[in-house]
Amino acid sequence: MTEQALLTDARLYLCTDARTARGDFADFVEAAYAGGVDIIQLRDKNLEAAEELEVLEVLGAAARRHGRLWSVNDRADIASLSGAPVLHIGQKDLPLASARKFLGNEAVIGLSTHSPAQIDAAIGASRGPAGLDYFCVGPVWATPTKPGRAAVGLDLVRYAAEATRRTAAGAGGASVDGAPLPWFAIGGIDLGNVKQVVAAGAQRIVVVRAITEADDPAAAASSLLAALDAGAS
């Protein structure tokens, strides 16, 4: 299965730190993938580059065993050196064109968005082989993983759903292999509110604490996927 096909099918995206204090990163990512997580991103600002590459070796090996994707946050150089199939960038990180120049057209690149204008720009940037592959919308609710970032609420999720439907249906609309451009809702999403996000139009979610703080990461992932299915039915 190609990386683009895996992205198109992905519904559950997990961001995690290296779990240094717990010392269980390898077991944790194995459990998360086993529970149904489609993409795991390592996001840990406390790691030096050499440490990050070591942790990414563990993550990449687990992803390959499960036939899933794995992602690097912000840094195209680390993505290139580690062989990561996915790079995620923020609005103030390396520009898409620069990331493409560094990684080439085969890499999957995603972007965070926080407003209607940024969503429109992300959709516009998706056209062509060097375009954006997916975007995230949020934070839907305030979250301690993004201190100081105001919540955007469910209205922005609704906006993203309508904007991607509209552009995919129109001439020259944004799509990946003929499918609408993938996007994920992110920010404070857990088992208690995931159905609200689905009702607002999201088919894919990014979570952090809903799995990283769970006693059983595999069960937490499986429950989130079941809630996604229930919300969509």
Side-chain angles (χ1 to χ4, degrees):
M1 205 169 187
T2 67
E3 289 159 359
Q4 287 290 354
L6 288 171
L7 173 66
T8 299
D9 289 346
R11 293 184 298 156
L12 184 56
Y13 192 145
L14 168 65
C15 293
T16 181
D17 62 13
R19 298 176 71 87
T20 303
R22 302 190 193 196
D24 65 348
F25 184 80
D27 290 340
F28 172 77
V29 295
E30 284 284 348
Y33 279 130
V37 171
D38 299 294
I39 309 172
I40 297 180
Q41 178 189 128
L42 177 64
R43 185 170 70 193
D44 194 324
K45 303 293 186 181
N46 295 318
L47 295 178
E48 299 292 343
E51 294 173 315
E52 186 170 359
L53 288 169
E54 290 178 1
V55 177
L56 287 169
E57 284 187 16
V58 175
L59 177 57
R64 288 187 288 273
R65 281 192 293 274
H66 290 271
R68 306 290 170 81
L69 293 172
W70 54 290
S71 173
V72 167
N73 185 50
D74 294 350
R75 294 191 54 176
D77 57 340
I78 295 293
S80 178
L81 288 168
S82 66
V86 182
L87 172 68
H88 188 85
I89 53 178
Q91 290 290 324
K92 296 181 179 181
D93 295 326
L94 191 68
L96 173 61
S98 299
R100 279 288 175 218
K101 185 176 181 180
F102 201 100
L103 296 174
N105 291 348
E106 297 304 312
V108 171
I109 300 179
L111 175 69
S112 297
T113 65
H114 317 293
S115 69
Q118 290 176 359
I119 290 171
D120 291 343
I123 292 171
S126 71
R127 298 182 176 92
L132 192 71
D133 296 294
Y134 74 90
F135 64 94
C136 293
V137 176
V140 180
W141 289 283
T143 170
T145 62
K146 288 290 182 181
R149 175 78 68 184
V152 300
L154 291 169
D155 282 345
L156 195 62
V157 176
R158 297 185 185 98
Y159 182 90
E162 176 57 30
T164 50
R165 280 195 297 265
R166 182 174 62 248
T167 54
S175 66
V176 176
D177 295 334
L181 179 67
W183 61 277
F184 298 78
I186 184 173
I189 299 171
D190 58 26
L191 197 57
N193 58 32
V194 63
K195 289 184 180 179
Q196 296 178 54
V197 180
V198 176
Q203 298 177 344
R204 303 172 178 87
I205 58 171
V206 181
V207 300
V208 183
R209 292 173 297 152
I211 295 179
T212 62
E213 295 184 1
D215 293 333
D216 187 336
S222 179
S223 295
L224 284 164
L225 285 169
L228 279 172
D229 289 339
S233 62

